[in-house]
Amino acid sequence: MDIRHIVDGFAAAPQLEASEMAEAAAQGFRTILCNRPDGEQAGQPDAAEMEAAARAAGMEFRYLPVFPGAFPDDLIAGMQDALAECEQPILAYCRSGTRSTMLWALAEADKRPVAEIVEAGNRGGYDLQSLVPFLTARS
């Protein structure tokens, strides 16, 4: 697994496999967030399979699919709810981890300074500079 720690309590990763859920739990993760829409690519595990594996490993699971380039307000609110309600640390994934990190950033825009959000993304290897106008508008 290519887990990238963004901030305390939240990490992002490229596509995970059901067989990796026990390892994620062993690393201390308590919640898995799937941000990848089902059927985006042939052969990817669907959310139901990932949820079953996460729950079997003792973790909570939430499905918040992010379609490329689409971050509607209800999705951002869903991420805010997940960040507030789910047991941490949280591991979110999508195809590369970028959408998961962008969704986290948008959900945190009213809680953290924009520069801090961008730096957190950078530390994880995700460039959030293109989000600055959206983060600023949400702050």
Side-chain angles (χ1 to χ4, degrees):
M1 290 186 297
D2 179 15
I3 296 173
R4 301 175 187 195
H5 294 274
I6 307 301
V7 293
D8 287 343
F10 183 83
Q15 178 69 56
L16 299 173
E17 298 296 328
S19 61
E20 296 173 312
M21 292 299 96
E23 181 182 344
Q27 289 186 31
F29 290 100
R30 304 307 315 144
T31 301
I32 300 293
L33 295 182
C34 174
N35 298 129
R36 190 164 192 198
D38 282 345
E40 187 174 60
Q41 184 177 20
Q44 84 183 56
D46 66 20
E49 177 184 354
M50 295 298 287
E51 180 175 13
R55 293 197 186 280
M59 294 182 290
E60 186 175 348
F61 182 90
R62 294 242 180 137
Y63 181 53
L64 296 168
V66 179
F67 294 89
F71 294 94
D73 288 340
D74 62 333
L75 180 64
I76 295 168
M79 182 63 144
Q80 289 171 325
D81 290 346
L83 293 170
E85 297 167 1
C86 293
E87 191 174 351
Q88 296 184 10
I90 295 169
L91 176 56
Y93 74 91
C94 59
R95 187 189 62 76
S96 68
T98 300
R99 284 177 279 176
S100 295
T101 303
M102 292 174 100
L103 183 57
W104 167 84
L106 291 164
E108 290 288 295
D110 63 345
K111 297 173 189 66
R112 299 174 188 264
V114 171
E116 180 183 317
I117 292 170
V118 171
E119 177 56 31
N122 287 342
R123 280 193 310 272
Y126 299 107
D127 182 1
L128 300 178
Q129 197 61 43
S130 66
L131 276 186
V132 167
F134 302 102
L135 296 172
T136 301
R138 294 187 69 83
S139 61

